[in-house]
Amino acid sequence: MNDSVKADEEQKKAKFKVDSRLITQILGSEIIESHSIAFAEQIKNSKDANAAEVKIDFSNMKNDEIIIEDNGCGMSEKEVEKDWFLLGNSEKEGKAEFSGGKGIGRLSLFKIGKKFEVRTSNGEFTTTFSISEDELTKGEADSFETDLYTKREIGPSGTKITINGLDSEISLEEIEIELNNLLSDKNKLNLKIEYPSSFNETTFLTEKEIADIVPFSATIDIDFDKFEETTDIKYSFSAKLEKKEVYKNENFLRKFEDPIQELINRKGNNLDIGKLHFELKNFFFENKKAKYFPRSVNNKSIKNYFLRVHQGINIYRNQFKIYGHGSEDWLKLAENRVSKPGENIDNKLTYGIITLDDDKSGQLKEKSNREGFIRNGTNKLFRELMLIIVKQFGKDRQESVKRIKSEITQLENKAEEEHKEQSKAKNNDNTNSINDSGNMTENEKKILKVTEHCIEQGDSILLKKSQFVNKEFIDDVKLEYFGGLIIENDMVSSKNKPGSYEVNYVYGENSEKLCLTIRKRDVIRGRKEDDFFENTKQFNGEIDLSNINDLVDQLNGLNYDEKCLLYNISFRAIIESEVKKYIVRRPNLKLGKSLKENVETTVEDLLQVLHINKKSDPYRIQKQEIHEKFLGWSALKNFLSSLELKFGEKNYDQLLHSLTHNPTRVDKDLALEVANEMIVPLHVLIRMLIEKNII
């Protein structure tokens, strides 16, 4: 008996108990703050299971379902019991070939949804089990049990996870950006992401597409097993102008050599992290002279379609991005730039990749929440060294800008001389451009090419373009507009009403007037006009109703107050006719039993048909024309989504059905909405698809 226990005392056993919240919240939804990290953890687990392909399917999110599926080696029933349900002691930990950490990545599923089902096969047996937060939190975690269903099933190995009870804050825009650069170039895993048809995927620029337009770049290689002096860092900086190298440096400044050597002297065993490769690139946007840099895509495209994903200095290990870097300014570059803007680079305009040694960099330990490294001696020294290297890059950039400006000055002087020679030759050769009075021709003197122009209600046009203005005035001419004309960024707004307007083009002391007429939009049909089926805000230009349902012509001109029931009971038949016309032209679609079902089928298919599939779409130009007519892709998607919503939450199907079988008066505003904002745009959209042979 324990000496500390007296004879009259009762001895009992005590043991730790695990609150179920530890699994669902503390280790699940709370420790992982980003949904993209939760998905990244599942992708890493698939790679660790030797998967060659992982598919994440968001297409059924509106029905509360996300599926993650891989073709890895799967698990047997024993492996599920032994490994999957064992928390915090994974066999993966400490093994370089695995991307997972403590085996808690699977718990991040609770960040995505409240319940999930796992179906895993090792090629011989398939085991299925499900877990829900509600069931798990009923008792203590150490007493939780769930059923395992195993059957013999010969077939492909792999794991499929179906997640339900989805977190309402999941952002596909965030996931698209964060997962875009999750895998390094050397990662052979095929990651497929299927988004809902209503989600407009972004075509981001690749590293290859921007390779020739990055003016400042450097490569850095360090073997920390042989890191004894500054020269052991292999550093090479290069600056280019029009693909010509104008500056190169491979040495550190004295001001940086001493701090590096001091760091080496105190590193001890804290930097035993193997080999490191660092590629660092920086763009040049802030100076007007940047026009002299090679440019296959413009600055806005680089920022929106490349740096939006790749900005900052990212770190990769085991061919996966380590979160907490990149767009998150972990080296505090912004603070340094504020103090010394000339010699420090901007994190937002920088693209860098640090590749760590897969086998030896374990001293840099990831946090349990996967957002950066744990603060220890290795991490501190690592950050110090990377910051010194980046500062050297900043000084090289500063020096190379001087060289570049000198080169640009020479180019400008050369261009000016060439321009003078060309002007001189033009004055000598083009004498026919001078009239009898010795003045320039009228066309060369004038600001405007035309003095009158006509557009239709709902159209938008740019006033500063070569169609109206002689090119030598486009950049500097100023606009004055009268008559209540609505202008947005030199663009005639689609909000303008029909009428006559004036726009003055002012250049210096001269001004010329453009008479702009906005006429009421045409409605193509053979009868007199009424306020039904003749106006819509969903698209601009003409309204072609020449091939719409005969009921529209029969309703045309009838007074709504007197014939409202005839209008109301006709709406359902017209909409039904439109969606059936579409469905029968699509061999992959089937007619449903209800109007609501057919509208939903039509809308979902339209979203897929109208989406432009990057550069490989054979109907790209035709679809772009449709997008433009319908005020852009976003506006077109919003119209279709609202149409589907109206037949869902607002129960238009039920409304129209009741009107057919039990006619009652509908408020005229609602009737106009059905006619002009549902029937008309749907008809015109389907008609355009047919005319352009897309369907």
Side-chain angles (χ1 to χ4, degrees), residues 345-364:
I345 61 175
D346 187 339
N347 193 66
K348 292 182 178 180
L349 302 182
T350 298
Y351 160 53
I353 290 180
I354 296 175
T355 304
L356 297 176
D357 194 311
D358 294 344
D359 297 325
K360 297 184 178 181
S361 62
Q363 288 180 340
L364 290 168

Side-chain angles (χ1 to χ4, degrees), residues 177 266 331:
I177 291 173
R266 60 186 170 88
L331 289 178

